Amino acid sequence: MLRAERGISRRELAEALGVHYQTIGYLERGEYSPSLHLALRIAEHFEVPVEVIFSTAPFPRLGTTGRSA
């Protein structure tokens, strides 16, 4: 979400972090857990705490507030 909001392509982010662009896709789909070093570098790149990007609990789906209409 951060990457898309800031208009950064997967390739651009991958190059900035020194990883393969497919790694970014795997991370975004939840198919890969980054090393602590990579997680910290991603957080540093976006200038946010690592907890904003990564969590041990699943994030709620976008658009879900948990409230009934």
Side-chain angles (χ1 to χ4, degrees), residues 28-49:
E28 290 178 349
R29 290 187 302 274
E31 297 173 4
Y32 174 74
S33 295
S35 67
L36 177 58
H37 182 71
L38 179 55
L40 291 170
R41 286 179 29 226
I42 293 168
E44 182 178 41
H45 179 81
F46 287 110
E47 299 177 329
V48 296

Side-chain angles (χ1 to χ4, degrees), residues 9-31:
S9 73
R10 286 184 179 153
R11 283 191 191 273
E12 290 170 326
L13 181 57
E15 288 174 9
L17 298 172
V19 299
H20 194 276
Y21 77 93
Q22 288 180 323
T23 300
I24 303 302
Y26 293 138
L27 288 168
E28 290 178 349
R29 290 187 302 274
E31 297 173 4

